[in-house]
Amino acid sequence: MIKGIGIDIIELERIKQSIKKSERLADRVLTKREKKRYLELPNERRKVEFLAGRFAAKEACAKALGTGIGALSFQHIEILNEASGAPKLQVSGHESDYFLLSISHSQEYAVAQVLIQEG
């Protein structure tokens, strides 16, 4: 049974400008494992896409849960990758739920959609 659905879109330029100012957004949004992967990316463009995608995915997840960011922090939501490269969503306190996640990028935007099914 579907428990929730959420979607979010963000401009890559907004993330790029934030990164230029400081790493504060990356530290706030990314978990330690996500930040490690972020720092290993080869160039600025990939870092912007990665951070924007994670930001959109976590916002979409919070919307799907019906809480929004606030009741749930970015640090409670982690996006890792399957061996195939597909993103995998894990949420502290929601281990019994099954999350489906899709992240996409264009030249200007990152978008993410989350669907939650009962475990």
Side-chain angles (χ1 to χ4, degrees):
M1 181 170 116
I2 294 175
K3 289 179 67 174
I5 186 168
I7 190 166
D8 195 68
I9 186 169
I10 188 162
E11 301 91 356
L12 295 179
E13 186 62 29
R14 184 173 155 203
I15 298 297
K16 182 179 178 180
Q17 293 306 316
S18 180
I19 291 171
K20 281 185 180 181
K21 289 179 187 175
S22 77
E23 285 293 312
R24 209 167 94 212
L25 180 64
D27 291 336
R28 193 173 125 234
V29 171
L30 302 175
T31 64
K32 288 179 184 177
R33 290 191 290 184
E34 291 169 327
K35 181 81 184 270
K36 181 181 183 300
R37 182 148 180 248
Y38 168 82
L39 293 172
E40 294 170 350
L41 294 170
N43 58 54
E44 180 190 40
R45 175 76 184 173
R46 276 299 300 132
K47 286 182 179 181
V48 168
E49 289 174 346
F50 183 90
L51 183 55
R54 283 350 188 231
F55 183 91
K58 292 179 182 198
E59 286 282 349
C61 178
K63 290 173 184 178
L65 287 167
T67 63
I69 295 295
L72 188 69
S73 87
F74 287 116
Q75 296 298 312
H76 288 109
I77 306 166
E78 187 168 54
I79 299 136
L80 302 173
N81 293 84
E82 302 282 357
S84 66
K88 179 181 178 181
L89 193 71
Q90 298 173 336
V91 183
S92 297
H94 295 273
E95 290 79 9
S96 64
D97 291 326
Y98 183 70
F99 294 87
L100 297 166
L101 168 63
S102 181
I103 302 173
S104 188
H105 309 89
S106 72
Q107 196 67 17
E108 297 178 31
Y109 299 98
V111 63
Q113 185 170 19
V114 172
L115 178 73
I116 307 171
Q117 293 180 319
E118 282 190 37

